[in-house]
Amino acid sequence: MILDPDRFFPLEANARQLARELFATVAGLPIISPHGHTDPRWFAENERFSDPAQLFVTPDHYVFRMLFSQGIPLESLGVPRVDGGLTETDGRKIWRLFAENYHLFRATPSKMWIDHSFQHVFGLDRAFAPATADAFYDRISECLGRDDFRPRQLFDRFGIEALSTTESAIDPLVWHKAIQTSDWTGRVITAYRPDSVVDPEYDGFAQNIATLGEMTGEDTTSWPGYLEAHRNRRAFFKAHGATSSDHGHPSAHTENLSQSEAVALFAKALAGNCSTGEAEAFRGQMLTEMARMSIDDGLVMQIHPGSFRNHSQPIMAQFGRDKGFDIPTRTDFARALRPMLEAFGTDPRLSVIVFTLDETTLSRELAPLAGVYPALKLGPPWWFFDSPDGMMRYRELTTETAGFYNTVGFNDDTRAFCSIPARHDMARRVDCAYLAKLVRAGRLNEADAYELAQDLSYLLAKKAYRL
Amino acid sequence: MILDPDRFFPLEANARQLARELFATVAGLPIISPHGHTDPRWFAENERFSDPAQLFVTPDHYVFRMLFSQGIPLESLGVPRVDGGLTETDGRKIWRLFAENYHLFRATPSKMWIDHSFQHVFGLDRAFAPATADAFYDRISECLGRDDFRPRQLFDRFGIEALSTTESAIDPLVWHKAIQTSDWTGRVITAYRPDSVVDPEYDGFAQNIATLGEMTGEDTTSWPGYLEAHRNRRAFFKAHGATSSDHGHPSAHTENLSQSEAVALFAKALAGNCSTGEAEAFRGQMLTEMARMSIDDGLVMQIHPGSFRNHSQPIMAQFGRDKGFDIPTRTDFARALRPMLEAFGTDPRLSVIVFTLDETTLSRELAPLAGVYPALKLGPPWWFFDSPDGMMRYRELTTETAGFYNTVGFNDDTRAFCSIPARHDMARRVDCAYLAKLVRAGRLNEADAYELAQDLSYLLAKKAYRL
Amino acid sequence: MILDPDRFFPLEANARQLARELFATVAGLPIISPHGHTDPRWFAENERFSDPAQLFVTPDHYVFRMLFSQGIPLESLGVPRVDGGLTETDGRKIWRLFAENYHLFRATPSKMWIDHSFQHVFGLDRAFAPATADAFYDRISECLGRDDFRPRQLFDRFGIEALSTTESAIDPLVWHKAIQTSDWTGRVITAYRPDSVVDPEYDGFAQNIATLGEMTGEDTTSWPGYLEAHRNRRAFFKAHGATSSDHGHPSAHTENLSQSEAVALFAKALAGNCSTGEAEAFRGQMLTEMARMSIDDGLVMQIHPGSFRNHSQPIMAQFGRDKGFDIPTRTDFARALRPMLEAFGTDPRLSVIVFTLDETTLSRELAPLAGVYPALKLGPPWWFFDSPDGMMRYRELTTETAGFYNTVGFNDDTRAFCSIPARHDMARRVDCAYLAKLVRAGRLNEADAYELAQDLSYLLAKKAYRL
């Protein structure tokens, strides 16, 4: 067996026993996956997944970035080149290369998710290694050929109660429409992601706004028309199940400009004349505008700031965006969120969920802010911190100031479909470990721990995302 | 019993047993409370405390901020409005609301302090919950009506050897005078807090300085007269027991200006013409001036930087200062303290105790600075970090570089009188837990741990604050 | 016995037992010491060390800074004054002062290293204290008089396989030459440290560059000649065993300037006309130039940024550089390293090892960067973080994102020769403790842990430094 049944539980026998008991009460709860990046087309068309390398290696930036860091060319992993140049297409070759380098992943969450998928999804409970690579490949390939491994069947088998993907504001949502009108009852919804039409530095910003105008029939060359177009699209997304919007900004900067300032800044943005600071201001103003709209239409707002995207220009030029070259940066929240929070932060109708890639902000800024502003909640540990130590630090750095009820349960944030149960399993185990340690240290009573285990595993996410 | 007798001790049996034994040697030591915000009037007049809500909920920003964060209006908790508008006055209603939401405080220090007070001060050893709210209210109300629950009687029962409050430089100290001239022997002293007369951005700065002039007979429109007025007030505070000054600045910025620069800056400050940077410079210069005066008069200097006060202007307008909207910010010490430290930091007559709300500075800047400058000591974990995890991180992040003897024991920093024994109990337990773990990991010998337990619980605070 | 045989191992019995077993397999491995500051003259001349105070107290900034922080004058510890003024010369008096204050070091790495040296190097296994000070002094003095305590004999006895010192680019390397041409087989090599000729703010920068020109026969007044002189010296260092260069900059800032910009900036630097920002840019450009040269000559590049050197000007004036007044500062890597990484970071021939004194960068920036750029590796916890908690935090903050194989094993970075075995012992124990905890938490399998113990203790350092 490759998975330890007590994985992620405390080492102390007493606390471990309680963690086991707590986990037993939540292990089987349905999965709420309110934020992620799976492809809605999978569930619309329900086509078979292709080969194991395409499932586990080529599209997973956690996996190929680690291999690349040790000198393995992205081409040899099948990652497509921008220029259409040759890359490896033989799934088995990629798979063997992965197996030869699987030791690089020791003690990383990627290995834990993949081992979990091997065992729980594909029934492979030996160690993955060069010697077993072919057997694994064959077994997974065989499974992928079966009907019970199609996306909808896995969705149901994983016990997913609701799953949100994320689409651009100008996405036509055809796959979501297809899912809605199908006879399948799985709940796959979208989330409103307007980055490409609120960020003056986004590729094709003006064109995107023109498209937004066409899609909505609004005059998006005027500030009121532009805002109205957002309202229109938000309603369209809501009609396709959306309960949230999502904002991936370089910083958490917000603004609360006067009408005339906003009009002037929008004109500049549209004309492509924004300075760096003005682009930042425009994005910041749009967060406040989104908050204002949220109060009206009830979409929960998610802010994901602080990633320095596409750090290497040469890699960006050769392989494009999202190739593992997004690097967290120091992030300010106390000053950055203030304009929005002063405007709307005490309005209990608003719900803003904030994520961070800068753990120093957890105890210093985010827990104190979430522990006082009714509108603000803390998203779970994100991205590189979706890991056993990341999760444990998150609880240790936020609970004493913000409590549990200003947090929102777990998000998997993944595009790796098979890792969803693995990630929720890990999150539930780590939370149970944390609760068990608190009980054994006399800091929480046992009955409360059982209630909290339910809250953290299921109820809080459902409530926070209005699902 | 709601309190676990082994609370905050390590989970490992071996270390837990030693922590117990260490704690047994310090549990009964007198309390040194060298920095806090209790009201000296309590001890001067020795009037009864009013109802339970006024004791535990309405004045405690830790408590009402958490309730507010979950959408409970401050008015319903009895927090007074600036405009005198209606707020809840029925203590029992506030109390029930508190009980209904007590689950929000799970695993927070507030709950641990309050449970401790319930059990140790009021003999209530059941769980506080909606079902028991009225019984708790009745029991506490009944106690508060008794003479043995008056402030001085509690002070004596708590085993407090010395307690310092904090007063503005222009406070007349009438309550401290009354305590001094009473027949009660409890040691309640003041601390010199000149924020309102050293910060050009403080409300009424110029008027405060005029008042300072009137109180001292000095010409506070001149730089030398202004400094002399500080010396005069410091002496007055010393005569009322003060052994320390306290400085609550937005940053740790210090300056060491020439005489002529200081004169010019003071004139600007007095005229209300300082830019933001000049106000910062003036505050920074005054820290250096305070250090200079400390060398002469022996007052220990405390610096509490890095809180972004009154983060929400709307809340400030409706409810005033100190309503839980003070948010920690990133704080620099290495550069900020340098001018003062270069001037006086190697003078062993000077003692400067620095606190932080930015835990990242502990291992990076503060421990290295305190581990070399004779004048500098590290204050205990402050405010949001006055908590089991905050305390443990503090030791783990400072001991290896600064040792134990560049730290100063524990401060409770509270305005919640009943929480004082609870906070010292927690601090002593966490320190014993830390020491026990070091011993069991072969990093400290056992005899030294017993000596350190005394030092951390009692002796270091007494020595550092010259009490 | 003063050393606990289970020191630094986990407290939980199960994990402790495994840590013991892991450590048993690596305790006797040879020491790779690829970065440090021992004096090559020791090994060239093989003279006896002088008295115990000169071995343990006077030259060790960890030791004298802590004593100074508690008011003990540096003069009384024998630290030389710049003005040649009197300082203590009686080794025994210094030694007794050290013993009287040894409690200051409780739970610090200094005490652990010194106790280890006492026991393992000098056979002293009682507690060091005032009562035993003289006996310790006599015993150590007696040993130092013996031939088997000469530098080369200790080097061999310590099991050092390779040791690198660090020399200025304009050092003639006479001691290394002498070691090379001696009949002793110990491998003591140098490392290329060009700070004094790449930093326009370094004392005597222009003169140093003139010297560089004289030593190499290159025209160092021209940019191409200056670069050629570096190439020349790097080759000279390689001929004396160097496998690495080392760069101690105030920040991690890099630049990738055009040829004409670099020429102009060099001219300004040489003329002493650089602004602060231009000096930063020049240093940053030189890191990129060094990377370019590394690709050609194979020297591994080490970057040690973020120390605010000589924080107190008065101490600098009285006692000179390196007197314990170097304070870590907040350090940026994500933006700072980008120009160099964009230029050369994906070239697998390049190897850049980065160190930090700002632990917040470990999980936020450094692990994500090292986890994707093939050229980048993470150096071990440095300086104040060369400690049990520093090492454990380092692993906990880097492994999940960068894995183990983007780290490079342990460096002792010391000038305290006798502490070398102590430091490697500590590092190996802490790594085994970490591995054991991972195994017991189901996050790593046991066989992998045994392999990793070898890697972290020996193989990674050997490979990373090309030794």
Side-chain angles (χ1 to χ4, degrees), chain C residues 390-465:
Chain C
M391 290 173 185
M392 191 55 82
R393 285 197 295 269
Y394 170 86
R395 290 288 174 211
E396 290 172 352
L397 291 167
T398 64
T399 306
E400 295 183 322
T401 294
F404 291 104
Y405 294 97
N406 288 306
T407 66
V408 301
F410 178 65
N411 295 180
D412 55 68
D413 194 24
T414 191
R415 56 200 81 222
F417 185 45
C418 289
S419 77
I420 290 178
R423 290 170 190 245
H424 286 262
D425 170 86
M426 184 189 285
R428 290 173 184 186
R429 286 171 175 272
V430 174
D431 278 336
C432 289
Y434 177 66
L435 295 171
K437 291 205 285 185
L438 289 178
V439 171
R440 293 306 184 218
R443 295 166 59 185
L444 180 68
N445 81 51
E446 201 167 317
D448 289 350
Y450 279 93
E451 197 174 303
L452 281 163
Q454 301 284 318
D455 292 334
L456 303 183
S457 300
Y458 177 71
L459 292 169
L460 281 175
K462 198 167 160 126
K463 184 178 167 207
Y465 283 89

Side-chain angles (χ1 to χ4, degrees), chain B residues 58-170:
Chain B
T58 305
D60 187 337
H61 58 80
Y62 286 92
V63 170
F64 63 66
R65 79 191 307 276
M66 178 66 93
L67 296 169
F68 185 71
S69 79
Q70 290 278 316
I72 297 168
L74 292 177
E75 289 88 343
S76 68
L77 301 168
V79 178
R81 292 180 56 96
V82 166
D83 64 7
L86 281 184
T87 65
E88 185 56 62
T89 54
D90 181 340
R92 194 176 290 270
K93 271 182 82 172
I94 296 170
W95 191 252
R96 287 174 181 167
L97 188 57
F98 180 40
E100 281 156 24
N101 290 282
Y102 200 52
H103 64 283
L104 299 178
F105 295 91
R106 286 171 180 165
T108 66
S110 292
K111 180 176 190 314
M112 298 167 205
W113 299 326
I114 291 169
D115 283 351
H116 188 280
S117 302
F118 286 162
Q119 181 168 322
H120 281 270
V121 184
F122 298 103
L124 289 159
D125 63 1
R126 285 167 300 157
F128 178 56
T132 57
D134 278 342
F136 272 58
Y137 193 86
D138 293 338
R139 165 75 181 161
I140 297 168
S141 295
E142 182 246 317
C143 288
L144 294 181
R146 284 160 44 184
D147 281 348
D148 56 333
F149 280 81
R150 289 177 186 264
R152 291 180 182 178
Q153 281 66 35
L154 288 177
F155 184 102
D156 293 341
R157 178 172 145 202
F158 291 167
I160 300 174
E161 180 176 314
L163 179 144
S164 179
T165 66
T166 314
E167 272 72 41
S168 161
I170 50 178

Side-chain angles (χ1 to χ4, degrees), chain A residues 308-457:
Chain A
F308 186 141
R309 305 265 170 180
N310 311 304
H311 190 265
S312 166
Q313 196 51 45
I315 294 292
M316 173 78 167
Q318 287 172 63
F319 297 96
R321 304 176 68 88
D322 300 330
K323 289 302 171 291
F325 279 80
D326 299 342
I327 307 296
T329 55
R330 210 158 62 203
T331 309
D332 163 64
F333 290 94
R335 287 184 172 76
L337 292 177
R338 195 182 182 215
M340 185 186 72
L341 290 174
E342 288 200 311
F344 302 118
T346 60
D347 190 322
R349 292 170 299 172
L350 178 64
S351 184
V352 181
I353 301 172
V354 181
F355 296 79
T356 190
L357 293 171
D358 179 351
E359 293 181 293
T360 71
T361 63
L362 289 171
S363 68
R364 187 181 58 219
E365 299 170 43
L366 287 174
L369 286 167
V372 74
Y373 278 103
L376 201 69
K377 298 281 175 288
L378 300 186
W382 174 36
W383 203 330
F384 297 113
F385 305 109
D386 180 2
S387 65
D389 285 341
M391 290 174 185
M392 191 55 82
R393 284 196 297 269
Y394 170 85
R395 291 287 175 212
E396 290 171 352
L397 290 167
T398 63
T399 307
E400 296 183 322
T401 294
F404 292 103
Y405 293 97
N406 288 306
T407 66
V408 302
F410 179 66
N411 295 179
D412 54 69
D413 193 25
T414 191
R415 56 198 81 221
F417 185 45
C418 289
S419 77
I420 290 178
R423 290 170 190 245
H424 286 262
D425 171 85
M426 183 189 287
R428 291 173 184 186
R429 287 172 176 272
V430 174
D431 278 334
C432 289
Y434 177 66
L435 295 171
K437 291 204 287 185
L438 288 179
V439 171
R440 293 305 184 217
R443 295 167 59 185
L444 180 69
N445 81 51
E446 202 167 316
D448 289 351
Y450 279 94
E451 198 174 303
L452 281 163
Q454 301 284 319
D455 292 333
L456 302 183
S457 300

Side-chain angles (χ1 to χ4, degrees), chain C residues 247 249 253-254 283-291 301 340:
Chain C
H247 308 275
H249 288 200
H253 187 82
T254 64
R283 287 188 300 262
Q285 179 62 23
M286 287 312 297
L287 288 180
T288 302
E289 297 297 341
M290 291 289 124
M301 204 174 153
M340 185 185 72

Side-chain angles (χ1 to χ4, degrees), chain A residues 203-219:
Chain A
D203 276 355
F205 173 69
Q207 179 52 49
N208 296 337
I209 286 186
T211 304
L212 182 67
E214 286 155 28
M215 295 179 91
T216 58
E218 298 294 338
D219 173 12

Side-chain angles (χ1 to χ4, degrees), chain B residues 168-171 192-221 225-226 229-230 233 266 269-270 282 321:
Chain B
S168 161
I170 50 178
D171 186 291
Y192 186 66
R193 177 100 175 205
D195 297 0
S196 67
V197 291
V198 304
D199 178 1
E201 295 176 329
Y202 207 95
D203 278 355
F205 174 69
Q207 179 52 49
N208 296 338
I209 287 187
T211 304
L212 181 68
E214 286 156 27
M215 293 179 93
T216 58
E218 298 294 337
D219 172 12
T220 52
T221 64
Y226 168 70
H230 274 290
R233 289 306 290 167
F266 178 62
L270 215 51
F282 187 76
R321 303 175 68 87

Side-chain angles (χ1 to χ4, degrees), chain C residues 88-309:
Chain C
E88 185 57 60
T89 54
D90 181 341
R92 193 175 291 268
K93 271 182 80 172
I94 294 170
W95 191 253
R96 286 175 181 167
L97 188 57
F98 179 40
E100 282 156 24
N101 290 283
Y102 200 51
H103 64 283
L104 299 178
F105 296 91
R106 285 170 180 164
T108 66
S110 292
K111 181 178 189 311
M112 297 166 206
W113 299 325
I114 292 168
D115 283 351
H116 188 280
S117 301
F118 286 161
Q119 181 167 323
H120 281 270
V121 184
F122 298 102
L124 289 158
D125 64 1
R126 284 166 301 156
F128 179 55
T132 57
D134 278 341
F136 271 58
Y137 192 86
D138 293 338
R139 166 76 180 161
I140 297 168
S141 297
E142 182 247 319
C143 288
L144 295 181
R146 285 161 42 185
D147 281 348
D148 57 333
F149 281 81
R150 289 178 187 263
R152 292 180 181 177
Q153 282 65 35
L154 287 177
F155 184 102
D156 294 339
R157 179 172 145 202
F158 292 167
I160 299 174
E161 179 176 315
L163 179 144
S164 178
T165 65
T166 314
E167 271 72 40
S168 162
I170 50 177
D171 186 290
L173 304 184
V174 290
W175 306 116
H176 285 88
K177 172 59 69 189
I179 296 166
Q180 279 190 324
T181 56
S182 77
D183 58 358
W184 181 54
T185 59
R187 186 173 181 192
V188 175
I189 62 177
T190 184
Y192 186 66
R193 177 100 174 206
D195 298 0
S196 67
V197 291
V198 304
D199 178 2
E201 296 177 329
Y202 207 94
D203 278 354
F205 173 69
Q207 179 52 50
N208 296 336
I209 287 186
T211 303
L212 181 68
E214 285 157 27
M215 294 179 92
T216 58
E218 299 294 338
D219 172 13
T220 53
T221 64
S222 84
W223 175 243
Y226 168 70
L227 294 179
E228 197 53 36
H230 275 290
R231 283 187 205 99
N232 180 309
R233 290 306 289 167
R234 290 170 65 101
F236 184 76
F237 272 65
K238 274 189 77 171
H240 289 76
T243 68
S244 69
S245 69
D246 182 35
H247 308 275
H249 288 200
S251 80
H253 187 82
T254 64
E255 291 277 357
N256 192 10
L257 303 175
S258 68
Q259 171 80 1
S260 61
E261 289 169 319
V263 166
L265 188 56
F266 178 62
K268 262 193 152 169
L270 215 49
N273 292 332
C274 278
S275 68
T276 304
E278 288 166 338
E280 179 87 340
F282 186 76
R283 287 188 300 262
Q285 179 62 23
M286 287 312 297
L287 288 180
T288 302
E289 297 297 341
M290 291 289 124
R292 195 192 317 271
M293 293 180 198
S294 280
I295 290 173
D296 292 334
D297 65 19
L299 291 188
V300 171
M301 204 174 153
Q302 301 171 79
I303 305 180
H304 284 88
S307 180
F308 186 141
R309 306 264 170 180

